[in-house]
Amino acid sequence: MTEEINKPELQSLPTTKAKSRSLWPSVLRWIPTSTDHIIAAEKRLLSLVKTPYVQEQVNIGSGPPGSRVRWFRSASNEPRFINTVTFDSKEGSPTLVMVHGYAASQGFFFKNFDYLANRFKVIAIDQLGWGGSSRPDFTCKSTEETEAWFVDSFEEWRKVKNLSNFILLGHSFGGYVAAKYALKHPEHVQHLILVGPAGFSSESDGKSEWLTRFRATWKGVILYHLWESNFTPQKLVRGLGPWGPGIVRKYTTARFSPRYSAGNVLTEEESTLLTDYMYHTSAAKASGELCLKYIFAFGAFARMPLLNSASEWKVPTTFIYGAQDWMNYQGAQEARKQMKVPCEIIRVPQAGHFVFLENPDGFHSAMLHACRRFLSPHPDNEPFPEGLESA
C-alpha cells in the first residue's frame, strides 16, 4: 500500500479503513484506539512537515524458508508489514534510514524531516511491532531470539526496498538494533549514526552498585518483580482505558518541558499532535514492546552489551548525545578504544535523550558533520561545528 502525501492535500484525504473494526464507538471503548486512529494520528503529526512524502506498508512476507525467527512462527501466518515513509529528495542524495527508539515510532523525528530531506533521501520506519507496522504475537524467549526479531525483520524490509548502501541512524533502543544490524550486515551500511544509544553498559561493569542497594529496598523489590514480569509502560496506558490519553498527555508535557533547551521544546500544536500520536501507538496491541526484559536486565543494563563486540565493528560510526542525556557517552568512549574503524563522539548542548527534539538545530549540525564525506567535496577541510563538543 503506497500513498503520496503532501501538506496542502492532507486534510482532504479519506481515513484508511482498518482490517477489523470494533462495533463500539470510540468513546465507548475501554481502550479508545484502533488501526484507523494510529494512521490518522500519524498523518496529523506529519502534516507539520512541509516536504512531500510517500507512505507505504512494506510487505516483508511471512518468513524466509528455514527461518528460526519467532515472529515467523506466531499464531498467525499472515504477511507482516513495516510502516515506511520516504521523503522527496534531490536526485543523487545519499540515503538515510532512520530507526526510532523504545516506546516511540518514526513520527518522533517530525522536527527533523524537512531539514534532513534537503540533503538526504530520508526513509523512516516503524520497527516491527511498533507504530503503524504489523504487531504479531511476541513469542521470543531469549535475548538471541529477540535481537533476531528486529534485525532479521529489518533485513527483510531492506531486501524488499532494494537498498544496498545507506547511512543507518538509530536512536536509543533503535541504536542498539542499528548497531546489531551493522554487525551482522556491514556490507549494506555506509555509515552508522547512533543517537543516545542504549546497550553499552552491563551489570558487571562496576557502575551498578546503586542498583544493588536499590533492589534491597521495598520499592526495588516491587519494581524488579514488575520488570521480570515484563510489565511495560504501555500496559499501564492500556489498563487505564479511557484515562490513558490523559496520562500520556501529562508524560509528554513533563518529558518535553524546557529543562535543557533555551526555549520551549514543543509548541502547543506540536505537543497536542505528538501526544495524540504517542497515545494511539502505545495503546495498540502489545508486540515489539515485550522485548524489554530480554534485551535489558533491571536498570536498563544490556544482557548482551554492545561494548563486548566493539572490536568486531566494521562500519565507520558517529555517536551523538545530548549533553544532558541519561545514556552515558563514556560507554561510547570505551567502545572507541576497541574499534578498528573511524569513530567520532559528538555532544549537543541544551539537550537530553531526545536531542533531535530538544535541540534540533544542534542535532542537524552534528548530522552534517557526521555525514560530511557524503555531502562535502572536501570533507577533510570541514571544521568541527561551533557550539558542539567532541568527546
Side-chain angles (χ1 to χ4, degrees), residues 262-311:
N264 289 331
V265 176
L266 302 175
T267 66
E268 183 176 349
E269 180 185 20
E270 289 170 345
S271 180
T272 298
L273 294 176
L274 182 60
T275 295
D276 182 51
Y277 175 71
M278 187 174 181
Y279 169 72
H280 291 298
T281 57
S282 298
K285 175 188 172 182
S287 182
E289 75 192 60
L290 300 176
C291 71
L292 199 59
K293 66 169 285 188
Y294 298 106
I295 298 293
F296 303 107
F298 181 62
F301 292 100
R303 297 188 187 276
M304 296 179 66
L306 289 167
L307 187 60
N308 294 353
S309 56
S311 62

Side-chain angles (χ1 to χ4, degrees), residues 104-357:
S105 302
Q106 51 84 6
F108 273 64
F109 296 115
F110 74 95
K111 295 187 78 168
N112 316 113
F113 287 143
D114 280 331
Y115 184 91
L116 295 176
N118 279 325
R119 294 153 178 85
F120 303 91
K121 177 182 179 181
V122 176
I123 306 175
I125 68 163
D126 289 335
Q127 297 192 70
L128 185 69
W130 292 101
S133 292
S134 295
R135 294 176 179 246
D137 301 332
F138 189 88
T139 56
C140 300
K141 300 299 181 184
S142 70
T143 302
E144 292 82 1
E145 286 184 345
T146 304
E147 287 185 359
W149 163 290
F150 295 103
V151 171
D152 290 0
S153 61
F154 182 84
E155 171 62 2
E156 292 304 306
W157 171 86
R158 182 204 65 80
K159 291 177 182 176
V160 176
K161 293 294 291 180
N162 195 29
L163 297 174
S164 57
N165 292 291
F166 54 92
I167 301 164
L168 179 58
L169 178 150
H171 171 243
S172 195
F173 171 68
Y176 180 89
V177 173
K180 292 287 183 173
Y181 177 84
L183 280 164
K184 189 173 182 179
H185 301 284
E187 67 277 11
H188 301 305
V189 182
Q190 295 173 297
H191 195 90
L192 183 63
I193 301 176
L194 304 180
V195 184
F200 276 89
S201 59
S202 68
E203 286 186 280
S204 61
D205 65 4
K207 300 177 182 178
S208 58
E209 294 180 4
W210 68 270
L211 183 62
T212 302
R213 294 194 298 270
F214 178 71
R215 280 179 55 176
T217 67
W218 67 269
K219 291 182 180 179
V221 170
I222 292 174
L223 290 176
Y224 177 77
H225 174 73
L226 290 174
W227 186 279
E228 291 300 316
S229 300
N230 220 358
F231 185 88
T232 66
Q234 291 85 355
K235 286 185 179 180
L236 177 62
V237 171
R238 294 185 198 100
L240 290 171
W243 292 277
I247 293 297
V248 174
R249 187 178 305 110
K250 289 180 180 179
Y251 168 81
T252 306
T253 301
R255 181 63 186 82
F256 298 111
S257 62
R259 291 180 292 172
Y260 315 122
S261 59
N264 289 331
V265 176
L266 302 175
T267 66
E268 183 176 349
E269 180 185 20
E270 289 170 345
S271 180
T272 298
L273 294 176
L274 182 60
T275 295
D276 182 51
Y277 175 71
M278 187 174 181
Y279 169 72
H280 291 298
T281 57
S282 298
K285 175 188 172 182
S287 182
E289 75 192 60
L290 300 176
C291 71
L292 199 59
K293 66 169 285 188
Y294 298 106
I295 298 293
F296 303 107
F298 181 62
F301 292 100
R303 297 188 187 276
M304 296 179 66
L306 289 167
L307 187 60
N308 294 353
S309 56
S311 62
E312 303 169 27
W313 230 267
K314 295 181 176 64
V315 176
T317 303
T318 301
F319 294 87
I320 301 176
Y321 291 88
Q324 287 78 35
D325 197 331
W326 67 276
M327 291 292 183
N328 197 334
Y329 72 94
Q330 293 174 345
Q333 290 179 319
E334 289 299 314
R336 184 171 56 186
K337 294 176 183 178
Q338 304 176 38
M339 293 168 66
K340 301 179 178 66
V341 294
C343 175
E344 291 183 306
I345 303 171
I346 302 174
R347 300 184 73 203
V348 179
Q350 298 181 329
H353 190 52
F354 286 88
V355 55
F356 48 88
L357 283 175

